């Protein structure tokens, strides 16, 4: 099993460009509430931050715009995403206080006791050994530093009203595909224990919710898409008939005047003791 785990952008979706756009929308979907929790758990301007599994650079961008005096090291293993992030971030009007390095979260080669704050977002769920990744984050944190981990739990992913019944089959198929690659798409509920096993203390846990009545439908549409479901069909984890039924049910749900769409992320934070 590769250290890259069960998420590789060139194979997880049927279209890389669409998948990058989906990742950007997924950041937008939760950012306002997510950032409030980062601040609540200790993130402030001027800190040294490490973001592991930084992907296309969208969280790095958000943090630099919100906290212009931080210094961020963005760690990403996928060379395609490293190249994308470097180009994307260079095109934004950002403080020149970041670096993007191609390394594994399992072995960053960064100096120990170097960072005030660590963010690892939607990464642990794709790793065969998430505790090892947490231990590496603890190693590079300064004593007293905080580490935040954000992940999914596909037992409770998108929920809709009126109910889209076949979404459950879609998520079961997705889970089967990720389990087969060594990931754990239901890791959200396990985060506090994993952080403690990885060496963090004073662990806390939050659930972040996005609701269509609050932020509108459009961001949900952009943050989901068909690239991953289409790949599940191609790889034999999901039938095309089920995907067709989901598309019909989804359209009917949206047409309902009183429809609702809800999605959750799970956040755990811990501290490196002195």
């Amino acid at each position: 099993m590769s250290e890259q785990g069960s998420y590789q952008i060139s194979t997880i979706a049927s279209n890389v460009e669409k998948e990058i756009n989906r990742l950007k929308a997924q950041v937008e979907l939760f950012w306002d509430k997510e950032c409030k929790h980062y601040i609540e758990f200790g993130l402030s301007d001027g800190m040294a931050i490490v973001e592991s599994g930084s992907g296309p650079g969208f969280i790095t961008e958000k943090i630099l715009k919100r906290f212009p005096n931080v210094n961020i090291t963005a760690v990403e293993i996928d060379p395609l995403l490293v190249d994308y992030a470097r180009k994307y971030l260079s095109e934004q009007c950002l403080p020149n206080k970041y670096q993007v390095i191609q390394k594994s979260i399992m072995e960053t080669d960064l100096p120990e006791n170097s960072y005030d704050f660590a963010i690892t977002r939607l990464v642990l769920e794709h790793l065969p050994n998430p505790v090892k990744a947490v231990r590496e984050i603890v190693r590079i944190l300064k004593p007293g530093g905080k580490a935040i981990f954000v992940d999914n739990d596909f037992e409770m992913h998108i929920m809709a009203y009126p109910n889209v019944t076949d979404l459950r089959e879609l998520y079961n198929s997705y889970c089967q595909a990720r389990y087969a690659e060594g990931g754990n798409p239901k890791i959200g509920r396990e985060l506090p224990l994993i952080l403690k096993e990885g060496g963090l203390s004073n662990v806390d846990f939050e659930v972040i919710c996005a609701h269509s009545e609050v932020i509108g439908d459009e961001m949900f549409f952009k943050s989901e898409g068909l690239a991953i479901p289409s790949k599940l069909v191609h790889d034999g984890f999901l039938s095309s008939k089920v995907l067709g039924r989901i598309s019909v049910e989804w359209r009917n749900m949206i047409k309902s005047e009183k429809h609702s769409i809800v999605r959750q992320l799970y956040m755990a934070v811990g501290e490196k003791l002195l």
Side-chain angles (χ1 to χ4, degrees), residues 18-77:
K18 288 181 179 179
E19 175 62 3
I20 288 176
N21 290 337
R22 186 189 72 83
L23 293 175
K24 187 169 188 176
Q26 190 172 245
V27 169
E28 297 291 346
L29 188 68
F30 290 102
W31 174 249
D32 287 344
K33 288 189 176 181
E34 207 171 322
C35 186
K36 288 178 183 178
H37 284 300
Y38 292 161
I39 295 170
E40 175 189 353
F41 290 133
L43 178 59
S44 63
D45 209 3
M47 283 184 161
I49 299 171
V50 59
E51 184 195 356
S52 296
S54 53
F58 302 136
I59 289 290
T60 300
E61 175 195 16
K62 288 286 191 183
I63 292 172
L64 284 167
K65 287 182 175 179
R66 178 65 177 78
F67 305 98
N69 297 305
V70 300
N71 196 309
I72 301 183
T73 299
V75 180
E76 173 56 49
I77 193 172

